[in-house]
Amino acid sequence: MSYTHRPVMLSEVLEYLDPSPGDVICDATCGGGGHSLEIARKIGESGVLIGIDLDPQALNAARQNLEGVSCRVILARGNYGDMAVILEEAGYPNPNGILFDFGVSSHQLDTAERGFTYRAEAPLDMRMDPDGPVTAADILNTASEGELERIIREYGEERWASRIAEFIVERRKTAPLQTSGDLVNLIYAAVPRGARRDGPHPARRTFQALRIAVNDELGSVERGILAAIDRVQPGGRIVAISYHSLEDRVVKEAFKRAERPCTCPPSLPVCVCGKKKVLDVLTKKPIGPTDEEVRSNPRSRSAKLRAARKVLGTLGGE
Ligand SMILES: C[S@@+](CC[C@H](N)C(=O)[O-])C[C@H]1O[C@@H](n2cnc3c(N)ncnc32)[C@H](O)[C@@H]1O
């Protein structure tokens, strides 16, 4: 199957990342290299592009996509949460720019057997890293009812979380859940008909929740953003595109703490904690795709882009 994924908010990414000839840029979610290809064109033959992804299929696609570019390309399979080590090993510990385009690629969604989609019958897998330790089926068939409810409520923002968790535990008493169809049918049974009439597909939130849990997405986002703030060169840029509010909140909070790290009580007339500003946030509010982009690429609909520029040394206020 050929790799298909249209890079989201490409012109906004280039505007805020601002890659220049000779720059070292880390694309922390390289996917098939859609954003990377345009970045590579901007940094030219003296530039270096480091592409990270957990998914070997994505990196194979990126390798082909980036074949003709003139810059040096280093592709690394790994978790962007481990970016500091990956950059160190690549020999470029402090890039000029770092891009995150979180979530799942169209290719992953469209490859039914990866189990990310509720629209096709497939094993309940959902691992971004095919060698990852836990699948969605593992969670569904072993987690306690309370834990399932928490995952579905917290990561899926699903108001029917407790009923869905109850139905999962009831169902697995007879047979384990194995396929996306098993879960979709169960959700149809758990969510009352009236609540299913409007809005997105009734399984969408639960599938999102499981994907986030399987891949510890919020933990990785937090580690990745903190590593990026620490590692990017002074003057360098960080750009992050999120697709749901939980991811976006992690980015927003991390940027805010780095812009205003002072922990002194407001009653103190002067700062005594010594923590200095590390970032300038360039987007006071997140930026969304244009109406035209949403029309031509509906998967861009929920994208929110935030960007920041490093102003000082590392976090911690030395
Ligand atoms: C939305 S896609 C990126 C698409 C890419 N920007 C492009 O234009 O082709 C997100 C990618 O991030 C990868 N990914 C998700 N979590 C990751 C993690 N913790 N570490 C590294 N890569 C991750 C996924 O495998 C997927 O390929």
Side-chain angles (χ1 to χ4, degrees):
M1 183 182 176
S2 71
Y3 192 99
T4 45
H5 178 90
R6 284 170 63 181
V8 168
M9 298 184 71
L10 182 57
S11 60
E12 293 86 348
V13 164
L14 294 175
E15 180 190 336
Y16 280 97
L17 196 63
D18 195 25
S20 308
D23 276 354
V24 176
I25 303 287
C26 173
D27 183 347
T29 49
C30 185
H35 289 110
S36 280
L37 182 61
E38 294 309 316
I39 293 167
R41 289 184 175 139
K42 296 273 180 197
I43 60 180
E45 59 186 0
S46 54
V48 180
L49 176 83
I50 302 154
I52 301 175
D53 207 290
L54 273 175
D55 183 346
Q57 282 185 11
L59 289 177
N60 281 340
R63 197 163 290 116
Q64 285 175 22
N65 203 11
L66 296 167
E67 210 155 84
V69 302
S70 61
C71 67
R72 177 160 187 221
V73 176
I74 302 170
L75 297 178
R77 183 172 171 200
N79 191 318
Y80 51 62
D82 302 322
M83 177 189 300
V85 177
I86 295 171
L87 292 174
E88 203 79 52
E89 282 175 2
Y92 298 94
N94 302 110
N96 303 95
I98 300 175
L99 169 65
F100 296 92
D101 177 22
F102 296 121
V104 70
S105 68
S106 303
H107 180 77
Q108 288 164 330
L109 279 172
D110 295 342
T111 310
E113 63 270 21
R114 303 286 299 264
F116 288 107
T117 179
Y118 43 79
R119 297 190 190 281
E121 178 71 347
L124 284 159
D125 189 315
M126 301 197 195
R127 288 171 298 175
M128 304 264 184
D129 174 355
D131 298 325
V134 180
T135 67
D138 293 334
I139 294 179
L140 287 163
N141 293 312
T142 61
S144 68
E145 187 173 330
E147 180 61 0
L148 287 167
E149 180 182 343
R150 184 194 69 79
I151 289 171
I152 299 168
R153 188 182 306 287
E154 213 171 283
Y155 300 158
E157 299 174 293
E158 168 64 69
R159 59 187 283 245
W160 298 99
S162 112
R163 254 177 85 80
I164 295 171
E166 192 186 317
F167 274 57
I168 292 169
V169 170
E170 204 43 47
R171 147 75 208 242
R172 72 190 192 197
K173 283 182 189 157
T174 47
L177 285 116
Q178 281 172 330
T179 67
S180 43
D182 293 343
L183 183 58
V184 169
N185 291 337
L186 182 150
I187 292 168
Y188 269 99
V191 177
R193 188 190 297 266
R196 290 192 253 116
R197 240 193 320 261
D198 305 316
H201 190 288
R204 198 179 89 171
R205 294 194 183 90
T206 302
F207 270 66
Q208 171 185 298
L210 284 167
R211 199 198 80 212
I212 291 174
V214 165
N215 298 292
D216 181 26
E217 288 184 25
L218 299 179
S220 294
V221 170
E222 170 110 40
R223 289 195 301 127
I225 285 285
L226 292 181
I229 295 171
D230 184 43
R231 285 302 167 136
V232 74
Q233 287 267 351
R237 310 275 185 111
I238 303 171
V239 174
I241 307 177
S242 308
Y243 294 88
H244 57 77
S245 55
L246 302 168
E247 255 165 20
D248 183 53
R249 197 177 311 148
V250 175
V251 177
K252 179 179 154 186
E253 293 299 319
F255 278 5
K256 200 159 91 186
R257 284 197 305 274
E259 192 174 44
R260 290 184 205 170
C262 173
T263 51
C264 296
S267 56
L268 285 187
V270 287
C271 168
V272 293
C273 73
K275 293 193 171 135
K276 296 205 179 68
K277 175 177 172 139
V278 181
L279 283 187
D280 269 328
V281 177
L282 304 174
T283 47
K284 294 304 161 201
K285 287 213 160 90
I287 300 190
T290 59
D291 293 345
E292 196 190 328
E293 177 166 3
V294 175
R295 261 195 306 277
S296 69
N297 181 12
R299 282 180 182 161
S300 68
R301 189 183 39 216
S302 53
K304 283 185 175 167
L305 180 150
R306 293 186 188 268
R309 183 178 43 221
K310 176 101 163 238
V311 291
L312 272 179
T314 50
L315 271 180
E318 74 279 23

